[in-house]
Structures are given as structure tokens and as C-alpha cells.
Amino acid sequence: TNGNVEQQKEKLRRLMLERFFKKITYVYANEHGPKPSSSSFIYLKENVPLFSPIYIGDSSIDLEFSNNCELEFLHINGLV
């Protein structure tokens, strides 16, 4: 996320996404390079075992980020 981490966790809790995933990892993108740079995803890949990562977002920057990282993108509006 490039937003407030606790706020993002609360969004996912309200959407009850935990029921679909064994583990959810949060990375604050601005600590590694602002989106759409893929640097935060590179950090994540180097530090967390990833099996089938997807990116959930709500903006064109999020879509561009997921494309830069070659990640499947889900728009949050499609989940609510």
C-alpha cells in the first residue's frame, strides 16, 4: 500500500478477505519507492515466500504497478 497501513488492514478486514487467503502481507510502498515502481514488490519477493500473489487495488496507478510487477490485478470494486 501507499496509504495508511492500519487503514488498509481495516479495509481488508471489513471485506473479510482473510477467508480467501492463508496469509496476507502488507508492504508500505513508499518505504521502497512510490508506485508504480516495482521496488516494493521486489522487496516483498526477496523477504516473503510467495505462491500465487495477486494485487488488489483501486486506481490506475495500482493497475500500472501490478503490470510492472507482472501480477494479477483485482479491482476492489469487483470484490464488494
Side-chain angles (χ1 to χ4, degrees), residues 21-32:
F21 304 101
K22 292 180 181 180
K23 181 176 182 174
I24 297 175
T25 302
Y26 302 87
V27 174
Y28 186 58
N30 292 342
E31 290 180 358
H32 306 283

Side-chain angles (χ1 to χ4, degrees), residues 15-47:
L15 290 168
M16 297 183 287
L17 293 180
E18 301 90 10
R19 63 190 164 154
F20 298 111
F21 304 101
K22 292 180 181 180
K23 181 176 182 174
I24 297 175
T25 302
Y26 302 87
V27 174
Y28 186 58
N30 292 342
E31 290 180 358
H32 306 283
K35 291 186 290 183
S37 166
S38 61
S39 59
S40 58
F41 183 64
I42 292 167
Y43 166 82
L44 185 63
K45 285 194 310 186
E46 291 173 351
N47 292 281

Side-chain angles (χ1 to χ4, degrees), residues 8-9 23-24 26 30 35-41 52-54 59 61-62 64-65 67 69 71-72 75 77 79-80:
Q8 302 308 314
K9 288 179 181 179
K23 181 176 182 174
I24 297 175
Y26 302 87
N30 292 342
K35 291 186 290 183
S37 166
S38 61
S39 59
S40 58
F41 183 64
S52 298
I54 60 170
S59 69
I61 294 290
D62 291 339
E64 187 177 350
F65 173 80
N67 288 337
C69 299
L71 291 169
E72 178 183 353
H75 196 284
N77 290 341
L79 301 173
V80 292

